[in-house]
Amino acid sequence: MPYVVTRSCCADASCVLACPVNCIHPAPGEPGFATAEMLYVDPLTCVDCGACTTACPVDALKPHTALGDAELPFLELNTSYYKENPHADRTPMYVVPRQRALPAGELSVAVVGAGPAGLFAADELLRHPGVRVTVYDRLPTPYGLARAGVAPDHQDTKQVTQLFGTIESQPGFSYRLGVEVGTHLTHADLLREHHAVIYAVGAATDKRLGIEGEDLRGCVSATDFVAWYNGHPDRAHDEHVLDTERAVVIGNGNVALDVARILTADPEALARTDISDRALAALRGSRIREVVLLGRRGPAQAAFTLPELLALAALKDVDVVVEGWPEDLDPSATDKTRLLSRLAARTPVEGRRRIVLRFLTSPVRLTGEGSVRSLEITATALHTDEDGTVRALPTAGTQTLETGLVLRSVGYRARPVPGLPFDKDSATVPHEGGRVEPGVYVAGWIKRGPTGFIGTNKTCAHETVESLLDDFAAGRLTEPVRGGVRTTTDALGVDAWRAIDRAERAAGEAQGRPRVKFTDTESLHRAARSVPAARG
C-alpha cells in the first residue's frame, strides 16, 4: 500500500479533492463521511503520487515505507476498511462547490466564535464574491479547541491551524477578538451591523455526575483540566491535586484518553510541546503513577475512537491495562475490541506508570473531609431494551478506590445564547438546516451537540451557509445599518493576532518548542500591541 492514513484526521476532505484516482473514502456525500473517525486509502487503486500528503493540513498521510512501529497498525486498518467497504459503486469525485450567483451588493455576516466551526463557516461564505465576514470571539486569540483543547502531545493535529491561517488571509475577512457578545455588544447590535449572524459558540461547560461529594476539592471537570494544561486564560492559573498516586477519570471518550496520557507522560517529553509552563511545572512534581478510566458500559460501547486507542497502545514506558470484560463479548467483534483484547492480554511491567481502562463500572459517591479521599464504585451489567438501546445498570455491592483527584469526562454541554431559543435537553439551539430564523444561524456544537471531530465542522458549516445564502437570495435578510455596533476600542484584528502568534513562536523557538503560550489577557494584549497597525 503506497499511502496510509495514520490517525484520526481533520476530515476536511482536502485529500479527497487532491487524489486523482478517487481512492480515499468515505468521501463527502457518501454514507458515513459525517460520522467517520478517519478516512482510508484504498491500497488497490492508490497510484503513489503523493498528492494527498501535500493537501493534508495535519500530515495524517504517509507512504507505507515511512511508517513507524506505532503507526504500523494503521496499515492493516486502511486495508481492512476496503475489505468490508469495497466501494465498487463509488460516487463521483468530490469537487469544490461552485460559486453562487448572489444578489447585487455586499453581504455582511457576523460569525460569533473563532473556533473551527466559526472559521469553516467564514471559509464557506468567502468562497462567494461580495461577501464580508467579521469573526467575533471573547478571547484575544482564535481557534477555540484547536488551540486550547487538542492535547499538547498531538502537535500534528494542531497543524490544522495552518488551514485556519489561510482562511483569515482571504479578502473580506476580519477579526474582532477580545469582544464578548452580551458584555461589549448585544445580539441586536450584531443584527443592526450585519445582514446575518452565525453563532458558532461551541459547548463551554461539562456535564455533571450527579453523585454525592462531587463538589469536594479534587473533583474537577476534565474540560477545565484540559484548558489548564493548554494555557487557556480562563483556567491557566488553576491548581490541581497531583500529590496522589492514583487519579480517576470518569468517562472513556477521547478527552479522557488525552487526560490519562498527559498525567502519565514523561514531563521531559511534554517540555518539547506547547503545554502551559505552569502546568508543566506542576506535572514535574506530580506523584501520580496510575490513572483509572471508568466506563459504565462495556468495551464495545467505549466512546474513544480507534485511532486514539492505537496511540494509547503505542505508549512507551506506560502500561495500558484492561479490566471489566463482559463474559459474552467476542473479542474479535470489532477492530476496537480486537485491540482491547490484545491489551488485556499484556503482562504489566513492575514499577511502570499505568493507565487502567475499566469497563462496566459506575461511580457511586465521593468521600472525604473537604477534599476527595476516595471514590466508591459499583459494577454494572448491560441490559438491552426492547428498542435496542443498551443501558448499564448497577449491580449489588460497592468497592472503594483511594484517590485524591477525580476528573469527570462525561460530555460537554452548551450554554444558552442570549436572544436565541434553547433546548435544555439537548443543550442546543433549535434550527432547521442551521437556520434559527432568517438572519440568525448556528454552526458547530451549539447546533448539533458535542459530537464529531474538527473536520466535521466543515460539513456542518456548509449546510448552515447554504441556508443563509438561500435567505439572502430570497430577500429575507434585513439591510444592515452601518456603524450600528458599539464595541471596545481595543478589539484585536488579524494583524494583532499574528503579532501574538509571532511572539509565542519566537519564545518557543528559543526553547526548542513549537510555541510558548501567553496565558493571561494582559500578556496577550501586550504582545498584540507589538504590531504598529492592525488590519480588520
Side-chain angles (χ1 to χ4, degrees), residues 136-176:
Y136 296 80
D137 200 285
R138 70 179 184 87
L139 293 178
T141 56
Y143 305 164
L145 289 180
R147 175 179 168 95
V150 176
D153 61 344
H154 277 9
Q155 289 297 310
D156 43 13
T157 303
K158 294 193 177 192
Q159 291 182 57
V160 72
T161 59
Q162 296 175 16
L163 175 61
F164 298 154
T166 301
I167 293 171
E168 65 195 19
S169 298
Q170 297 180 64
F173 182 99
S174 62
Y175 274 137
R176 299 288 286 172

Side-chain angles (χ1 to χ4, degrees), residues 12-20 22 24 27-28 51 55 93-97 127:
D12 80 332
S14 298
C15 58
V16 178
L17 175 62
C19 178
N22 194 20
I24 303 176
M93 190 182 304
Y94 178 63
V95 296
V96 176
R127 294 176 185 274

Side-chain angles (χ1 to χ4, degrees), residues 80-208:
S80 65
Y81 172 80
Y82 287 94
K83 291 179 180 178
E84 299 172 6
N85 306 273
H87 283 274
D89 54 344
R90 294 177 181 173
T91 57
M93 190 182 304
Y94 178 63
V95 296
V96 176
R98 294 180 179 178
Q99 293 180 337
R100 291 178 56 147
L102 301 179
E106 185 180 74
L107 170 62
S108 174
V109 180
V111 175
V112 182
L119 291 173
F120 280 130
D123 187 40
E124 291 290 331
L125 286 161
L126 293 170
R127 294 176 185 274
H128 309 282
V131 179
R132 180 169 58 88
V133 178
T134 304
V135 178
Y136 296 80
D137 200 285
R138 70 179 184 87
L139 293 178
T141 56
Y143 305 164
L145 289 180
R147 175 179 168 95
V150 176
D153 61 344
H154 277 9
Q155 289 297 310
D156 43 13
T157 303
K158 294 193 177 192
Q159 291 182 57
V160 72
T161 59
Q162 296 175 16
L163 175 61
F164 298 154
T166 301
I167 293 171
E168 65 195 19
S169 298
Q170 297 180 64
F173 182 99
S174 62
Y175 274 137
R176 299 288 286 172
L177 301 174
V179 175
E180 185 171 12
V181 177
T183 300
H184 302 112
L185 49 83
T186 66
H187 174 62
D189 291 330
L190 293 175
L191 287 176
R192 280 194 295 271
E193 177 74 7
H194 305 278
H195 289 91
V197 183
I198 298 176
Y199 285 91
V201 293
T205 61
D206 67 296
K207 294 179 180 178
R208 290 178 62 84

